[in-house]
Amino acid sequence: MGYKIASSKAGVNVGTATAPNDFNYSSDYNTLKYYTAGTIRVAGSAVFPNTNRYFGTITHGLGYYPFFSFFATDDSSATNFYPYGFVAVGAGGLTRTACARMGTNTMRFMYKITNASSGTISGTATFYYKIYRNNTNL
Amino acid sequence: MTQVIKVSKAGINVGTATDPNSFIFDSTLNTFKIVATGTVLGTISAGGLGNTGTVSTAHGLSFIPPVVGFIRTTSSAGTTILHPTAEEQISADHIFRSIWADGTNVNFEIRVASDISGTVFNCRYYAFEVPL
């Protein structure tokens, strides 16, 4: 017989419940374990009709590809938090893209501006990232 | 009297704290439980700019789960893993579209942005509880 720790939701019998959704916590199921979190800003600009990419990098040092998440905002609409980045198409063919990739020791963020409009367009993306200890084993 | 299990963060009084953010663990608060995880290999054949392929694997659950996934790929920029939501990732060779789950499978849609040879993608998904 295996032993476990479980905490059921209010009104649910912890001794008889079986569905994962009946528990606040059950040692039968893995959870995400925080490692580190932070913020990084990446600024850039593009002169018509160019596309430019700008990068920011943080070091996590885990030695493997960890589970990660992040939200990104475009400073032109700083109240909108987009999970795992965004592609924002603006007036006149202006496109801003925010995304990230993970390595075994670093995480790199990219902010791309495509100016299909005119003049010079500038902007800044802010990335709010969380890295977990969970190894993706990829 | 309801009994609970709580572990507070360093320097915080576990007996008096009320902010959920003060705890490492609180048995009264639901946790994000990983109910299934798996990997699948996918190959997108060469076919020129914009060639798209879908890679699928069965999740084995009786409901449609919320899913998060990552794809490992190797390009001229090195080997990295990426979450397939943004239109374009760092490498111009690979553009990821999306991940989604239905009642049977977890699906990854991948687009190859340049005319390159068949590329193998290693995909991992995590399925969480709370059916959609």
Side-chain angles (χ1 to χ4, degrees):
Chain A
M1 181 179 72
Y3 293 93
K4 62 183 173 183
I5 297 174
S7 171
S8 63
K9 293 180 179 175
V12 177
N13 186 325
V14 69
T16 58
T18 57
N21 198 33
D22 286 333
F23 298 98
N24 283 337
Y25 175 78
S26 169
S27 58
D28 282 344
Y29 303 105
N30 197 4
T31 57
L32 296 174
K33 292 164 273 292
Y34 275 126
Y35 172 65
T36 189
T39 303
I40 184 170
R41 303 189 75 203
V42 181
S45 63
V47 177
F48 173 79
N50 296 330
T51 293
N52 292 332
R53 295 173 175 83
Y54 299 89
F55 305 100
T57 301
I58 61 101
T59 299
H60 60 78
L62 287 169
Y64 55 82
Y65 299 106
F67 191 112
F68 67 93
S69 64
F70 68 94
F71 293 83
T73 65
D74 188 318
D75 281 11
S76 65
S77 60
T79 58
N80 298 333
F81 281 69
Y82 299 95
Y84 287 109
F86 60 81
V87 177
V89 180
L94 167 65
T95 304
R96 306 173 196 261
T97 301
C99 57
R101 70 176 189 185
M102 177 63 76
T104 56
N105 286 292
T106 60
M107 183 174 183
R108 193 167 85 166
F109 304 86
M110 182 187 82
Y111 184 46
K112 183 180 82 169
I113 301 177
T114 297
N115 185 355
S117 178
S118 62
T120 300
I121 302 295
S122 300
T124 302
T126 302
F127 299 86
Y128 304 84
Y129 63 88
K130 294 187 186 298
I131 301 175
Y132 303 82
R133 293 188 180 274
N134 302 61
N135 189 341
T136 61
N137 290 306
L138 281 170
Chain B
M1 180 179 71
T2 302
Q3 298 181 350
V4 300
I5 300 174
K6 293 186 178 183
V7 178
S8 63
K9 293 180 178 177
I12 294 177
N13 187 325
V14 70
T16 58
T18 58
D19 183 355
N21 203 32
S22 297
F23 300 99
I24 298 293
F25 176 76
D26 180 343
S27 62
T28 66
L29 302 176
N30 199 2
T31 55
F32 218 21
K33 292 176 281 297
I34 301 169
V35 295
T37 185
T39 56
V40 60
L41 286 177
T43 302
I44 308 300
S45 59
L49 185 67
N51 200 37
T52 299
T54 300
V55 179
S56 301
T57 185
H59 52 67
L61 300 170
S62 61
F63 55 89
I64 303 173
V67 291
V68 172
F70 301 96
I71 299 176
R72 174 178 172 174
T73 182
T74 300
S75 70
S76 58
T79 299
T80 59
I81 68 170
L82 306 156
H83 186 275
T85 51
E87 176 183 288
E88 178 180 331
Q89 298 297 340
I90 303 301
S91 166
D93 292 336
H94 311 127
I95 297 179
F96 302 105
R97 288 193 176 278
S98 60
I99 176 175
W100 76 97
D102 56 35
T104 303
N105 293 318
V106 177
N107 310 280
F108 294 80
E109 186 183 59
I110 303 161
R111 187 174 75 156
V112 178
S114 59
D115 190 6
I116 58 177
S117 300
T119 300
V120 176
F121 298 90
N122 298 327
C123 309
R124 173 173 288 280
Y125 74 89
Y126 297 85
F128 297 91
E129 52 101 2
V130 186
L132 295 174

